Amino acid sequence: QQIRCESSGINAEYGGNALEGSWQLVPGGLRRVSKGRSGIWGVNKHHHIFVLSANGQSWQRVPGALVHIASGSEVWGVNSNQDIFVRRQNQWKHIPGKLTNIDVSNSGEVWGVNAGGNIYRRQGNGWQLIDGKAVQVSVGESGVWVVNKNDDIYYRVGTFGGRGAGNGWKHIPGKLIWVSSGNGIVVGVNRGHRIYYRKGVSPQRPEGTGWE
């Protein structure tokens, strides 16, 4: 449960995206961590919630208990009872519904997955059911990506740029247990804990060209 960050960032210019630099150990121990416009947030094995300080060297504990957290235009999370919360005015606001996994983009798109593998997108004050099945979802500038219970990877056609419900799933070769959509880059982890990034992600070819 050590925390590491990519010290030199990501070079994600369209057509030439690549991971650069090396990993730097950050003090603390977390099971989930998320970086977005609202900062870097995480939860530990005790379901305690933390936000990284401005100096990047210490964690401030935030009241509440979550098992999964996502940072984007706002901070969203789910607890061990699959209840959904969003951080507003320094308080956790309960949102109707049940999810096991949730993500929010910097543009405010919120997607989630429930215990039955159903996929949902936040629409107004409710949830829009999206076709397909998944165990984990990520929404970001490179669109919506999911993995299912068989570690299969899918990209949601028509979501590049991080907006909209899209119109169907495109299967992506490979096997991952976790995937993350960022600015011009998609990163994933497999069951062997190896980290991969998707080459060639661009508006012209949002699904990219291969894993490296």
Side-chain angles (χ1 to χ4, degrees):
Q1 297 176 3
Q2 291 181 333
I3 309 161
R4 294 182 183 273
C5 70
E6 225 283 339
S7 61
S8 297
I10 295 175
N11 172 19
E13 295 181 3
Y14 294 134
N17 41 358
L19 291 176
E20 296 179 340
S22 59
W23 291 102
Q24 177 183 357
L25 183 64
V26 177
L30 298 173
R31 282 194 169 176
R32 295 278 184 258
V33 65
S34 179
K35 176 183 180 293
R37 206 171 74 195
S38 296
I40 301 176
W41 291 69
V43 294
N44 67 10
K45 65 181 180 180
H46 304 294
H47 307 171
H48 299 157
I49 306 165
F50 296 89
V51 60
L52 189 64
S53 63
N55 64 17
Q57 295 298 314
S58 62
W59 295 93
Q60 176 185 351
R61 186 168 171 188
V62 177
L66 298 172
V67 297
H68 183 71
I69 199 162
S71 172
S73 60
E74 297 177 298
V75 178
W76 288 69
V78 295
N79 67 11
S80 59
N81 196 42
Q82 303 172 25
D83 298 317
I84 309 162
F85 296 89
V86 60
R87 187 79 173 169
R88 290 177 181 162
Q89 297 179 336
N90 293 322
Q91 300 289 330
W92 293 108
K93 178 184 178 182
H94 177 249
I95 302 296
K98 293 281 188 178
L99 294 174
T100 56
N101 176 264
I102 197 165
D103 199 26
V104 55
S105 72
N106 286 329
S107 61
E109 284 280 331
V110 181
W111 288 62
V113 175
N114 71 5
N118 296 317
I119 305 166
Y120 294 91
R121 172 180 176 258
R122 189 71 175 164
Q123 189 174 46
N125 292 321
W127 295 98
Q128 174 188 7
L129 179 64
I130 302 293
D131 60 287
K133 293 283 188 177
V135 295
Q136 186 254 328
V137 60
S138 178
V139 54
E141 291 87 345
S142 293
V144 175
W145 291 68
V146 301
V147 293
N148 66 15
K149 65 180 181 180
N150 298 317
D151 303 347
D152 299 318
I153 312 157
Y154 292 87
Y155 163 72
R156 185 72 175 173
V157 177
T159 60
F160 193 87
R163 292 189 180 275
N167 51 13
W169 296 100
K170 182 177 178 62
H171 178 248
I172 305 297
K175 293 284 187 177
L176 295 174
I177 60 170
W178 198 270
V179 67
S180 182
S181 171
N183 186 9
I185 196 165
V186 176
V187 179
V189 177
N190 71 6
R191 289 199 178 271
H193 308 298
R194 293 184 178 274
I195 305 167
Y196 294 86
Y197 76 91
R198 190 74 180 164
K199 298 183 295 182
V201 173
S202 70
Q204 293 75 31
R205 193 162 185 177
E207 72 276 15
T209 58
W211 297 104
E212 186 168 308

